[in-house]
Amino acid sequence: MTQSIATMTLVVADYDAAITFYREQLGFVLIADTDMGDGKRWVLVAPEGGRGTRLLLAKADGAEQTNAVGNQTGGRVMGFLETDDFATDHAAMVARGVKFLEAPRYEAYGSVAVFEDLYGNRWDLIEPKL
């Protein structure tokens, strides 16, 4: 049996703001935006070229979910955006206004820099050494 993680949920405050951030600042593509009724939508985004996991952008519903927006992993890095050209992608993201929390680092496992999404969730931009 072969399995993979296809989609992960990311709780957001606003569908359209999240779509704009992931498309315009990170360069992701919008895969689906389907009205589910009662103000809910099925919104999927993924990196251009789409190898790997997609993000389901789910609007917070209720106080508990609203409190999780921007802190879904308690301040730890939540996601790892893997690239095969760190320098080019880092420069493009900086030019598009992505907030990096550190200068690029060159570790034994690869090139990496931590950035935040529009709500403050932390991500690594990483080019692993193979």
Side-chain angles (χ1 to χ4, degrees), residues 1-6:
M1 172 176 19
T2 301
Q3 298 180 337
S4 64
I5 297 174

Side-chain angles (χ1 to χ4, degrees), residues 66-118:
T66 298
N67 289 336
V69 172
N71 192 27
Q72 294 186 55
T73 57
R76 294 197 56 139
V77 169
M78 171 190 93
F80 298 83
L81 182 57
E82 192 171 293
T83 179
D84 62 359
D85 189 346
F86 180 88
T88 298
D89 285 342
H90 181 265
M93 290 168 70
V94 168
R96 291 190 303 256
V98 174
K99 179 183 176 184
F100 279 86
L101 303 178
E102 63 182 12
R105 293 180 282 123
Y106 305 96
E107 304 288 349
Y109 55 83
S111 302
V112 63
V114 177
F115 68 92
E116 288 183 335
D117 70 12
L118 75 163

Side-chain angles (χ1 to χ4, degrees), residues 17-78:
I19 291 168
T20 297
F21 175 81
Y22 282 94
R23 288 181 71 196
E24 294 180 9
Q25 291 191 271
L26 296 189
F28 285 23
V29 294
L30 180 64
I31 296 169
D33 186 354
T34 306
D35 186 338
M36 303 297 288
D38 295 324
K40 293 185 180 182
R41 291 158 58 183
W42 180 262
V43 178
L44 287 174
V45 296
E48 183 83 36
R51 295 178 331 171
T53 306
R54 300 169 297 185
L55 290 178
L56 174 66
L57 304 178
K59 186 175 177 183
D61 184 12
E64 186 174 356
Q65 290 180 20
T66 298
N67 289 336
V69 172
N71 192 27
Q72 294 186 55
T73 57
R76 294 197 56 139
V77 169
M78 171 190 93

